[in-house]
Each structure stands twice: as structure tokens, then as C-alpha cells.
Amino acid sequence: MDRYSPDYNSKPLHTQAFGNAWVEAYGYRGATGATDKIYLGVIPAGVVVTGVRLITDATAAGVKVDLGFEPYDASDGPLADPDAWLAGADIAAAGIVDSKAHPIVFKRAVKLVATISGAAITGTPQLTAVVDGQMVGVA
């Protein structure tokens, strides 16, 4: 039996040089406490986030991170999801961690938040979250 997704044949046409593609890199460099939150930046309203990659320098033994979001305006939503993309990812050694989350549509702006756990980050390592998506608008 053939099965069709709900949006089969209803994708918007891309009429500009780069279509509706959206990508942003958010970074932080520095030490943190073992339970600190790092607010990396703002994902604007009208974006479907299709992929998130966290690139890190070596941090310290035992350091883990959750990567998710909080509403930019708590009264406006959406509900916070502190580990939407990564939950307890080990970032003690330098490397790259890719999210396996499904796409998320944001009709309101959200804060991209990394929550440290396990141990404090020592020194001044760089953390970079590369967020890929599609600009679809808020209609």
C-alpha cells in the first residue's frame, strides 16, 4: 500500500538564491560551574530546526551537557525542553555530537540553552552549536 505524508506535494517553492535555508552558529568560550546554564543565542520565530551539531574542545573529565531551548518570552511559549537535542552528551574530550531529534517548528523565538552537568568546565574551551533549519514563517 502506498502511504503519503500529510504535506506530500505541498512544500513551498524556493524562489530565492538560497531558498528558505537557515543556518546559524552559536558559540561560547569559558569555564562554567557543574550545574550552569549557557545561553548560546536566540533561534528566531518561524524556523523549523532540522539539525543541531555541537562541536567542543576538551572540557574536563566527567563533563556532560544537555542542549535544548527555553521560550524567549515565558508568557508567549513554547514550553521549555532543556534536552530537546542532546541529553547528557559527554563532552570531556574534543569532538562533535550530532542530535538525533526530529525537526522542531518554532512559531515563537526561543533561547538555545546548554546545561552543564557531571563536572565543571575548566579552562577556556570553545563550544559551538551549529543549528540548521528552514525559514517557514509564523503564519
Side-chain angles (χ1 to χ4, degrees):
M1 174 192 299
D2 294 335
R3 298 186 187 271
Y4 295 88
S5 70
D7 61 355
Y8 175 80
N9 202 28
S10 65
K11 298 288 186 185
L13 295 175
H14 303 292
T15 58
Q16 296 181 12
F18 300 104
N20 295 0
W22 178 87
V23 64
E24 192 64 60
Y26 302 90
Y28 174 83
R29 179 181 296 277
T32 69
T35 59
D36 286 357
K37 284 185 181 180
I38 303 169
Y39 290 90
L40 294 166
V42 175
I43 298 171
V47 169
V48 176
V49 173
T50 57
V52 177
R53 169 174 276 185
L54 185 65
I55 306 163
T56 67
D57 293 340
T59 55
V63 177
K64 299 196 180 306
V65 66
D66 291 347
L67 188 63
F69 62 87
E70 294 179 359
Y72 186 77
D73 179 349
S75 67
D76 217 14
L79 294 175
D81 189 346
D83 60 0
W85 294 292
L86 297 174
D90 186 345
I91 59 168
I96 296 173
V97 184
D98 288 320
S99 170
K100 294 176 179 40
H102 290 278
I104 302 173
V105 179
F106 291 108
K107 295 193 182 275
R108 303 283 188 266
V110 295
K111 301 175 212 174
L112 179 61
V113 183
T115 306
I116 304 303
S117 63
I121 294 177
T122 57
T124 57
Q126 175 77 28
L127 279 71
T128 302
V130 180
V131 183
D132 290 302
Q134 180 181 13
M135 184 59 74
V136 295
V138 293

